[in-house]
Amino acid sequence: MSEQSKLEVLKELFYEEKIEKAFELVSQLSVESKSNENLKAKLECCEEFQVLLEDMHLKSECKEMLSEVSTWTEVCNSDNIRTYSKGSGKNFMVRGEMYMDQPMLPTLALFSETDLLGTWLTMLENAQDLGTPSRFRRILQYKAGMPWPVKNREAVMRALGVPDIDSASALIIMKSIHSRTTLGVEIPAQDEDHVRIDLKLACLNIAYLGPNSTHVSFIAHMDPKLKLVPQFIVNFVTKHILYYFLKEVRSKSMEYPGSIFEERVKQKPDYYQELLNTIHQLESK
């Protein structure tokens, strides 16, 4: 297969969401480019290749972070929800873990319907999809209020949902965007009322434990654009924002029957059937 043909196949895999096959081809092309300057130049100009290459590394980093908790400081342990923090300044990290007696699909639906996030996450002033390059790949903008005297924050990020069959989970990977455009989507300038944080990496892992049992993990590694992260901000984020975020996830998942989220699932049969197919794969793991 020619170099051009491989790049065309790569783009097809990218937009058809065949992520694992795309990762395999990215690895193959990365090796080949080490001894092929022409191919190397083509890959440097191929945005889909560059995004997939970063996604591959981010997924590996997420799995590594999720695999250990011993180096984290526990901040809150209540109602089957635990929150943790780690680091400060540009290396501030937060983490939350929760078990719930609910199926996976309602939780996946909560995070699939971006325009409804503000209806159940009270700290969000606004949440919107700036673009959807492919079915499970989004360009997102979130705006959130912060306690005085800290200025309100916003984040613009790309998010990718991928199944992780080995750990029987669905993994959502998020990272800030710093360019003016990405995958054909224009990125808005920061507004004067918000400080744009640098989300170095965030992952939301929704693990299948059984037909009515799910484990949710959330980790965010960010630069909140504060020289120092005061303890009251650590407490606010971990004891309030993160704790109540997970509590609301559980509450809204329990309210799924007859909700707007169930209605959205019915309105988007192709999208949610693919999610159900993934859940069936995890069940058989």
Side-chain angles (χ1 to χ4, degrees), residues 109 255-267 272:
E255 297 170 4
Y256 174 78
S259 70
I260 181 64
F261 295 98
E262 185 178 45
E263 185 61 32
R264 290 285 180 91
V265 170
K266 294 176 182 177
Q267 292 170 1
Y272 283 103

Side-chain angles (χ1 to χ4, degrees), residues 7-8 10-11 40-52:
L7 289 176
E8 289 173 2
L10 182 76
K11 291 180 181 181
K40 183 178 179 181
K42 288 181 179 180
L43 295 179
E44 288 174 351
C45 296
C46 178
E47 187 175 13
E48 290 85 356
F49 174 85
Q50 296 299 327
V51 170
L52 282 166

Side-chain angles (χ1 to χ4, degrees), residues 157-203:
M157 67 192 79
R158 56 185 180 86
L160 171 67
V162 293
D164 184 31
I165 304 302
D166 291 341
S167 61
S169 65
L171 179 64
I172 301 172
I173 304 165
M174 295 157 278
K175 188 179 189 301
S176 279
I177 297 168
H178 302 292
S179 57
R180 293 184 178 180
T181 64
T182 182
L183 297 170
V185 179
E186 291 190 12
I187 305 304
Q190 176 182 313
D191 71 60
E192 61 182 15
D193 296 323
H194 294 78
V195 174
R196 185 167 292 178
I197 69 168
D198 180 9
L199 187 64
K200 297 176 183 295
L201 176 60
C203 53

